[in-house]
Every structure is written in structure tokens, then in C-alpha cells.
Amino acid sequence: MVRSAVTISLVEEARGGPFVFHGSLEDACRQAAELGFDAIELFAPSAAAIQDLPLRRLLAEYHLRLAAVGTGAGMVRHGLHLCDPDADRRQAAERFIADIIEAAAVVDAPAIIGSMQGRWEAAEGRDAAVGRLRAAMERLGARAAGHGQKLIYEPLNRYETNVAVTLEQGMQLLDPLPDEHVVLLADLFHMNIEEADPAQALRRAGQRVGHVHFVDSNRQAAGRGHLNFHAIADALRDIGYGGYASAEAFPVPDSRTAAAQTMEMFCGVFR
Ligand code: LER
Ligand code: MN
């Protein structure tokens, strides 16, 4: 059964970003619980910031799970990424993610590599950079598995990466890595830009799909754009998907309405 989640960002630099809730973890948990969400997904500044949060208390108090934790603050705040040709900076990127994997595992959640994959530069070419990215994900995936978690890798649209922009390209990137260690994140906003047919792409990716960013074509709450969520839900059912549909959308017209509209669509197509 697909479970519902909603995003909360605690990263000041990502105030204008596509997260339903911003700023207050407690307020986001309260509203997520009121609206019937199963979980929250957290975008936090660092592993240390996650450790300082009263996550256990809030999750228990509001009967929520932690669906996943993003690592993109390493890029947004420090400009770090795993394709970086500079070995010191690349290692700092890997360390940043490894620390978040550890902090998230304590609260029984996986970490996501989205913007931290970075991009390769034409001067160097694709193969060397992608080889280093894959090697880092192999180590990070093994680390996650050591804590009973999977590492989640997210293809992004062409304006955010040149590594893998479709699920098919993501599958090729992950091909040598065990799927018990690393799974794919299907973000429906990126997929609307890059996939010929999002539902078909989900069917082809099948068991590799481990997480979904549940959002409409314009990056607003599901139902506010032109994606066909019935076709997407049918595809997810067909592949036996049992992970989260996590609302990563702009708080338009406001956080509460975006969360409520997401839940209305979620119940309409999955329940
Ligand atoms: C970025 O566009 C995105 O979709 C995030 O989930 C990745 O950090
Ligand atoms: Mn996403």
C-alpha cells in the first residue's frame, strides 16, 4: 500500500523552494497529522541539525513516520556535489551525505541524493565524473544498508543535472549497484519535463522505484497542474509499489491548502 508524506524544509536558503512546509517542524507535524498524512519528509541543514531536533518526540506525539531526509543542503549551502573533480570537495560532499545517512537511520529513515549528484563539465567529459559519482553511491549505499536503510537516488530535470534526467538513465547509472542498497526516486515534476510517458516510465523502472515525489506538472500540489494521477497511481499499483508518495511542492497558495489538496488527490487515486 502506498503511504502519504509531506515535505518540511528547515533550510533558510531554501525558503523559496518546493517544500510544502517551511521553518517549524512542530507546526508541520501538527498539520500533517491533522490532515491524515502517514509521514513527513525532512530537508535539513546538516546531520548535526537533525540530531538537535526533537524528532523522536514529535513523531511519537503526532503518530508520524519519517519518510526520508534530503541531503541537498550540502549543495545549497556549501556548493558540494559528488561529481566535483576536486578530490577534497568531493570527499566533503560524500562525508556530508554519510553523516546524514547516519543521523536519519537513528530515526529509521533513508537519505536522498538529489542535487548532491551535481553535474559533469564538458571539459572533463561524462565518464570520469559519473564513474566517481557511482563509486561514491556504492559506498554510501553500503553504509545505508549497514543501518537497514536504502539510499535513494533521484534523477532531476535537465536544468538541474546532466547526469541522469529520466528513470531509464537512472536505472543505467544504478545498474552495477545492488537494488537492496540503492533505489530510484521518481519525482513527478522532473518526470513531466523529461519522460515521454511518466506512467510508462514507472512501469519500466518497476522494482527499482523506492520513493516518489508526489507533485504536479507545475510543481504545485497534486491536482493544480495537468498530470494524470490516475494513470500514475495505476502504474504504481502495477509495479507493486509500497513506498511513500511524498508531497514536494510549492506552498501555493499556502502550505495548508497545498497539503490538503495533496491529501485529497492522494485519497482519490490510492484509497
Ligand atoms: C530538486 O529539484 C528536487 O527535486 C529535490 O528532491 C532534490 O534535492
Ligand atoms: Mn524531488
Side-chain angles (χ1 to χ4, degrees):
M1 193 164 79
V2 181
R3 289 161 295 165
S4 57
V6 61
T7 49
I8 154 89
S9 167
L10 302 180
V11 178
E12 201 48 49
E13 292 85 344
R15 270 273 162 202
F19 304 98
V20 173
F21 293 105
H22 291 258
S24 165
L25 180 63
E26 170 128 32
D27 182 58
C29 287
R30 182 180 52 75
Q31 297 204 51
E34 282 170 7
L35 292 167
F37 282 92
D38 297 308
I40 55 159
E41 178 181 318
L42 180 63
F43 189 63
S46 64
I50 296 168
Q51 284 155 352
D52 285 345
L53 293 168
L55 262 172
R56 277 180 185 287
R57 173 177 70 76
L58 290 174
L59 294 173
E61 186 173 335
Y62 292 103
H63 305 285
L64 293 164
R65 301 290 304 264
L66 185 59
V69 180
T71 61
M75 168 62 98
V76 174
R77 302 185 76 213
H78 310 291
L80 296 173
H81 66 91
L82 294 173
C83 276
D84 201 317
D86 182 293
D88 288 345
R89 293 188 58 77
R90 199 169 62 249
Q91 274 157 25
E94 187 168 336
R95 183 77 252 157
F96 188 90
I97 297 166
D99 289 345
I100 290 189
I101 288 173
E102 306 278 337
V106 171
V107 212
D108 202 19
I112 299 170
I113 293 183
S115 20
M116 286 298 276
Q117 71 193 275
R119 53 169 56 244
W120 52 270
E121 300 300 332
E124 188 192 27
R126 183 176 199 280
D127 290 354
V130 170
R132 293 192 299 255
L133 168 65
R134 192 186 268 136
M137 290 211 291
E138 186 166 11
R139 292 187 291 272
L140 292 166
R143 178 184 289 265
H147 294 285
Q149 298 296 334
K150 292 184 181 181
L151 179 66
I152 301 173
Y153 167 75
E154 177 175 21
L156 304 173
N157 74 70
R158 67 190 67 187
Y159 307 106
E160 297 183 42
T161 191
N162 55 6
V163 172
V165 302
T166 61
L167 294 190
E168 174 67 33
Q169 290 172 8
M171 299 257 281
Q172 284 166 14
L173 178 68
L174 302 190
D175 189 48
L177 313 182
D179 50 11
E180 305 81 51
H181 290 191
V182 192
V183 290
L184 276 178
L185 196 169
D187 179 317
L188 301 173
F189 165 74
H190 299 305
M191 290 176 70
N192 174 65
I193 295 171
E194 299 293 350
E195 306 285 358
D197 179 344
Q200 189 61 22
L202 288 166
R203 285 201 174 83
R204 292 214 175 100
Q207 295 289 311
R208 263 290 179 174
V209 180
H211 197 71
V212 171
H213 278 160
F214 191 71
V215 54
D216 220 319
S217 51
N218 49 6
R219 224 170 200 185
Q220 295 183 25
R224 297 180 66 87
H226 61 242
L227 274 178
N228 180 349
F229 284 95
H230 288 281
I232 285 160
D234 285 347
L236 289 171
R237 258 189 294 276
D238 289 350
I239 63 173
Y241 180 70
Y244 287 99
S246 183
E248 186 187 67
F250 288 117
V252 173
D254 55 74
S255 299
R256 178 76 181 200
T257 310
Q261 286 190 335
T262 295
M263 190 40 99
E264 196 180 320
M265 179 62 81
F266 180 89
C267 292
V269 298
F270 291 120
R271 295 288 183 260

